[in-house]
């Protein structure tokens, strides 16, 4: 995959610009896109406020708590002036399945924070002094897509994802905020969605309420990951066989169909053993039968731990209600003995299967 800017020679000479060297080093660390932007007020701040006002953030109250900092990228790390924004492919060419592609391998927070920290140390060595800064990968109050667009990495698709015209959208974003003046890249100013609306039409729950606007409370990613309580009954059948997350509005995007790439053999995002070869029904049955200890071992270092075993079992019960057979009554009835939230879903699922 190429970068947002011209790919740079990997054996830099002494007279190359620092920005050029930083990009070469970023590609060498395994990032697929890189751009540089000055920090400042977010161009999407008003849209973000409107989104919060409509209650589309659901239970993600942490977003509103730090809204002030999200509106201005100079605030999360005082003194920082510049962001180096990177993107890392997580495998849009991998087949569809019950777990969203981004969550099948190692936790991207850990992987990318480590690499951005390495980049930070390299920059300090290069400039010959300490440079204050901090890496962010969904780990602080930053509107990262806003920064990425400003750094030239892509435009906001109607599905709300950042889309690169030569790479699509199946990549993670990360930013290294630095107290260091660097020459910025040109922001990405054009919108390449045109008249396309495949993502809006494909969303099973109608969560894309209008172009560029996501009602997270209806989104399967939110329902299966962020939501801690019960999944609303009217949305359960629409979840289909998705146990964790949803890629549908990315899968249908023509830029992903054409440009997304396979994972390299050494990618940290390659599917882990606990998920490999598992269809939705098998995975749902395994999760419902899993003990906490088994879960901790099988999903060590996985982003799926965010939903906790309890949340995954809730999702598994919903999936079996959608695609299971009466042969799945055994694991569902065993789950009924559990006093926590999943029991309600384990009641709902057999009722569906008996119809
Ligand atoms: S992730 Fe799935 S549910 Fe959410 S907006 Fe996209 S298609 Fe709809
Ligand atoms: S599917 Fe079409 S409208 Fe949606 S983000 Fe992709 S190009 Fe834009």
């Amino acid at each position: 995959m190429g970068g947002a800017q011209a790919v740079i020679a990997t054996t830099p000479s002494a007279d190359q610009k620092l920005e050029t060297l930083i990009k070469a080093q970023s590609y060498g660390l395994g990032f697929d896109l890189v751009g540089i932007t000055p920090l400042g007020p977010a161009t999407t701040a008003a849209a973000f406020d409107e989104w919060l006002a409509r209650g589309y953030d659901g239970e993600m109250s942490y977003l509103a708590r730090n809204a002030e900092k999200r509106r201005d990228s100079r605030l999360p790390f005082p003194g920082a002036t510049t962001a180096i924004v990177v993107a890392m492919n997580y495998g849009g060419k991998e087949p569809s399945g019950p777990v969203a592609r981004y969550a099948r391998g190692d936790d991207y927070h850990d992987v990318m924070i480590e690499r951005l920290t390495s980049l930070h140390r390299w920059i300090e060595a290069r400039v010959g002094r300490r440079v204050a800064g901090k890496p962010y990968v969904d780990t602080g109050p930053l509107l990262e897509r806003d920064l990425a667009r400003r750094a030239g990495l892509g435009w906001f698709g109607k599905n709300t994802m950042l889309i690169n015209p030569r790479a699509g959208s199946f990549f993670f974003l990360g930013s290294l905020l630095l107290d260091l003046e660097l020459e910025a890249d040109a922001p990405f100013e054009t919108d390449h969605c045109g008249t396309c609306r495949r993502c809006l039409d494909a969303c099973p729950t109608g969560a894309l309420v209008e172009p560029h606007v996501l009602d997270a409370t209806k989104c399967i990613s939110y329902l299966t990951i962020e939501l801690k309580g019960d999944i609303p009954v009217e949305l359960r059948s629409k979840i289909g066989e998705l146990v964790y997350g949803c890629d549908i509005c990315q899968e249908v995007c023509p830029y992903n169909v054409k440009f997304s790439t396979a994972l390299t053999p050494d990618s940290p995002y390659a599917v882990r053993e606990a998920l490999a070869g598992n269809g939705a029904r098998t995975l749902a049955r395994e999760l419902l039968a899993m003990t906490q200890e088994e879960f901790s071992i099988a999903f060590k270092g996985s982003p799926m731990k965010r939903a906790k075993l309890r949340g995954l079992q809730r999702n598994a019960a919903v999936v079996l209600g959608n695609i299971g057979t009466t042969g799945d009554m055994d694991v569902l009835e065993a789950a009924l003995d559990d006093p926590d939230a999943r029991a309600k879903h384990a009641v709902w699922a057999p009722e569906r299967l008996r119809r």
Side-chain angles (χ1 to χ4, degrees), residues 71-94:
R71 290 186 197 107
D72 190 331
S73 55
R74 291 169 296 192
L75 300 180
F77 190 81
T81 56
T82 302
I84 299 168
V85 187
V86 296
M88 193 171 179
N89 171 36
Y90 60 81
K93 276 283 183 286
E94 302 300 310

Side-chain angles (χ1 to χ4, degrees), residues 159-160 199-200 202-208 214-216 218-223 242 245-250:
N159 61 4
T160 76
C199 50
L200 290 106
C203 176
T205 59
L208 292 165
L214 174 75
D215 179 354
K218 289 186 188 163
C219 175
I220 294 167
S221 290
Y222 169 84
L223 296 170
L242 298 175
C246 172
D247 282 336
I248 292 170
C249 58
Q250 295 196 83

